[in-house]
Structure formats: C-alpha cells, structure tokens
C-alpha cells in the first residue's frame, strides 16, 4: 500500500470534502481524487460513496479511517518522541493531571518516572480534563491522569489504561468526627456536605449511594479542585468525600479525621494516552507504580471512545 495515497484519503475523510482537504494540504482536487482512486484500486473496494453533493465513507472507508488514524497518530508520536529524546539531555515527560486527582496520589504515580535510570524532566499541568485532553490530542502532553476514562463522545482519539480503584472515605475535622463517626453514614443527614463538581466521576458515583442510604444531603459547596474542597473541610464547613487510597494526604496534619468509609462507592483512576500499546518509558513507570499500590487493573481493552 502506498502511504502517500493513504495520507490523501485520510485528509479527505477528516475534512469531509475533497475541496476542503485540497485547500488544507495545498494540492489540487484532481490530484487528490486521482490518488484516492489508485488507493481504492489497490484495495479492490470503494472507500467513499456519493450522497447527493456530498461524499460519505463506505464501511470499508470507515475501517480504513480507523487504521489511518492510528498510523498517523503513531507517526506524530514518533516525531515527538525523537524530538524530546536528544542525546545527553533529560527526556521531557509532559503530564496532565485532572483537578479531581489527589495530589499525593499523582505524586506517588509520577515519582518513579523521575527516579528511573533515564534522566527525565517532568512537566506537569493541572487543569480541567477537557482542556488536558485537547492538549493530548495535539501531542502537547504524553499522558493525562484522570479520575475517570475518556468521556463518551469526546472527539480525541486516545486510549484508557486503568490504573487502580479505591473505595471512598468521608473526612471532617477531628472534633466533628468525635461527635458523629459512630452514626456513619446516617450522620450525613445532619452534617453539611462538600462535594466534587457535577462533572466529577466521584460525584456521579456518590449520588446513587446517597439515595440508597436515604441520605438527604445538605450540600453547601461544590468544587472542581479536591484540594480546595479539603481546605473548606479543614475549616469545619462540612464533611467531604475523597478516595480512601489518598486518606494519608489529608489526615497527616492531625486536623482532619475519617468520619466513615464505604467500598460500595468506587473511584477509578486512569492514564489516558494516544498509545494503544504503551511504549513510552515514563508512562510504563506510572503503570508499574499503580500496580505497586496493591490494586492493579488491566488496561481498558475497548480502545478509543
């Protein structure tokens, strides 16, 4: 198969029009049509069909597009990898961390990437997941760590690699815990509650659990950033949920305590990358760090969403 022909097909399929693709890559529409015709001849099947004035992908075309997406994504990834591996200089490992991921957990997962045999410089960006995924799509990031998989319907072609799962703990000040812990979870009916934002995976998992336990939560605050939610909890404003695996980060100061725990609610953390088969040494180090935490999980085999 001629990769140049495949590239032209890929451009037209993404643009949805021969004219738009021709303008984008500065070739004539006639050249594009001719090259795609040669590709169809070599494959023995049509990749596009006419639908009125428009062209649409055939079933074979849709299959070809999936493979072309992966091929050219790998090509771009190779270019980025080579450029970021200059001889004698540290490798730059660019990671996005969703606001909802506890800082201590992110640090635990990322530390082995810095301490590996190969000199590595970590560039860590913390932001909302959709912004981070946009950067991942254009190869400005090597990986995103999130409290959930790639959202359904998101246009980024990427792969979910499940890192670990955790139950959920509710934290309050030590004084509040002494008064209410014996009555968990019913005490959540009486305590003000701080919750992650509505887009948070933890929030979505908590809501059915609260309903099953017949808890009518009095929500006094919603937060996209876990650290900010904890800062309000530290001032006694309300109880708040976190992944049990991250408890130590929050109770280390002695000012907060565990009100109660549940394994009926699970929060899962994922590494999201453009690689289907992981090869980046720093990404592999993160996966191994998750396994050492004692709750390994296999990579999501479903591929892109």
């Amino acid at each position: 198969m001629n990769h140049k022909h495949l590239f032209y097909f890929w451009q037209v399929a993404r643009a949805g029009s021969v004219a738009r693709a021709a303008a984008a890559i500065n070739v004539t529409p006639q050249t594009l049509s001719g090259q795609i015709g040669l590709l169809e001849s070599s494959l023995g099947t049509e990749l596009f069909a006419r639908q009125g004035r428009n062209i649409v992908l055939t079933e074979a075309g849709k299959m070809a597009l999936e493979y072309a997406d992966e091929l050219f994504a790998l090509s771009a990834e190779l270019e980025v990898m080579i450029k970021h591996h200059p001889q004698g200089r540290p490798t730059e490992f660019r990671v996005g961390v969703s606001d909802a991921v506890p800082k201590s957990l992110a640090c635990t997962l990322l530390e082995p990437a810095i301490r590996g045999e190969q000199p590595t410089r970590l560039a860590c960006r913390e932001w909302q997941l959709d912004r981070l995924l946009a950067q991942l799509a254009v190869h400005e990031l090597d990986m995103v760590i999130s409290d959930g998989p790639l959202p359904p319907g998101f246009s980024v072609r990427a792969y979910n690699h499940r890192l670990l799962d955790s139950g959920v703990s509710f934290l309050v000040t030590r004084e509040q815990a002494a008064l209410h812990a014996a009555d968990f979870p019913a005490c959540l009916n009486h305590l003000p509650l701080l919750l992650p934002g509505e887009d948070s995976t933890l929030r979505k998992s908590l809501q059915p659990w609260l309903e099953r336990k017949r808890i009518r939560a009095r929500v006094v605050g919603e937060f996209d950033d876990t650290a900010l939610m904890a800062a309000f909890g530290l001032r006694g404003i309300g109880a708040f949920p976190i992944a049990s695996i991250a408890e130590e980060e929050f109770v280390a100061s002695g000012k907060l305590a565990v009100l109660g725990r549940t394994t009926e609610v699970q929060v899962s953390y994922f590494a999201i990358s453009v690689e289907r088969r992981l090869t980046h040494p720093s990404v592999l180090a993160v996966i191994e760090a998750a396994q050492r935490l004692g709750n390994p999980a296999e990579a999501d085999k479903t591929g892109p969403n």
Side-chain angles (χ1 to χ4, degrees):
M1 181 188 298
N2 188 312
H3 280 198
K4 186 175 182 180
H5 297 167
L6 183 64
F7 175 75
Y8 286 151
F9 157 77
W10 183 58
Q11 290 292 329
V12 172
R14 294 173 69 203
S17 157
V18 172
R20 284 196 294 270
I25 60 178
N26 198 28
V27 298
T28 66
Q30 293 79 5
T31 298
L32 273 183
S33 297
Q35 298 292 303
I36 291 171
L38 291 173
L39 177 63
E40 289 177 326
S41 295
S42 70
L43 293 174
T45 186
E46 292 187 348
L47 302 176
F48 292 104
R50 282 282 173 189
Q51 194 173 78
R53 289 187 165 186
N54 300 319
I55 58 170
V56 295
L57 288 167
T58 62
E59 289 303 314
K62 292 175 183 177
M63 185 185 303
L65 178 59
E66 287 186 13
Y67 281 93
D69 278 339
E70 185 171 349
L71 175 65
F72 292 113
L74 286 172
S75 177
E77 180 185 329
L78 173 62
E79 182 180 356
V80 171
M81 289 284 288
I82 295 298
K83 286 181 178 178
H84 286 86
H85 286 70
Q87 199 169 20
R89 293 175 58 188
T91 299
E92 186 175 51
F93 181 36
R94 302 158 306 167
V95 182
V97 180
S98 169
D99 290 338
V101 177
K103 306 297 185 290
S104 62
L105 178 59
C107 182
T108 299
L109 293 172
L110 293 172
E111 184 179 2
I114 297 178
R115 296 188 180 277
E117 294 181 3
Q118 186 173 350
T120 301
R121 183 178 66 187
L122 178 66
C124 196
R125 306 282 181 265
E126 187 180 23
W127 214 357
Q128 293 177 345
L129 181 59
D130 58 344
R131 305 287 183 87
L132 295 174
L133 291 175
Q135 292 186 322
L136 181 71
V138 295
H139 300 276
E140 292 180 3
L141 294 174
D142 299 306
M143 181 184 73
V144 170
I145 297 178
S146 170
D147 67 334
L150 194 69
F154 208 83
S155 59
V156 174
R157 184 175 180 84
Y159 297 89
N160 303 312
H161 307 279
R162 200 182 196 100
L163 294 174
L164 52 89
D165 305 308
S166 173
V168 172
S169 300
F170 284 83
L171 304 186
V172 289
T173 63
R174 296 195 72 84
E175 294 76 14
Q176 288 172 317
L179 291 172
H180 298 285
D183 193 28
F184 181 84
C187 60
L188 295 175
N189 279 308
H190 313 297
L191 284 167
L193 202 56
L194 309 171
L195 290 178
E198 290 186 353
D199 291 335
S200 163
T201 304
L202 175 54
R203 174 69 175 272
K204 293 173 183 176
S205 300
L206 270 176
Q207 205 64 47
W209 180 80
L210 292 171
E211 291 172 3
R212 288 197 305 272
K213 298 297 180 181
R214 298 184 179 182
I215 295 168
R216 297 181 179 179
R218 181 163 61 93
V219 180
V220 296
E222 299 182 12
F223 305 85
D224 290 331
D225 189 308
T226 302
L228 183 58
M229 181 171 65
F232 275 80
L234 191 60
R235 297 194 177 195
I237 294 175
F240 64 94
I242 53 106
S244 297
I245 199 169
E247 275 182 16
E248 185 177 346
E249 172 186 348
F250 297 94
V251 302
S253 68
K255 297 178 181 179
L256 289 171
V258 176
L259 178 67
R261 302 180 181 91
T262 178
T263 56
E264 294 178 33
V265 180
Q266 291 283 308
V267 56
S268 300
Y269 295 97
F270 289 81
I272 302 175
S273 78
V274 293
E275 294 182 302
R276 174 183 286 178
R277 298 178 182 87
L278 295 177
T279 58
H280 194 301
S282 296
V283 176
L284 289 172
V286 171
I287 300 295
E288 291 168 4
Q291 292 174 344
R292 285 195 294 271
L293 286 177
N295 194 6
E298 291 187 0
D300 188 328
K301 296 298 194 299
T302 59
N305 286 270

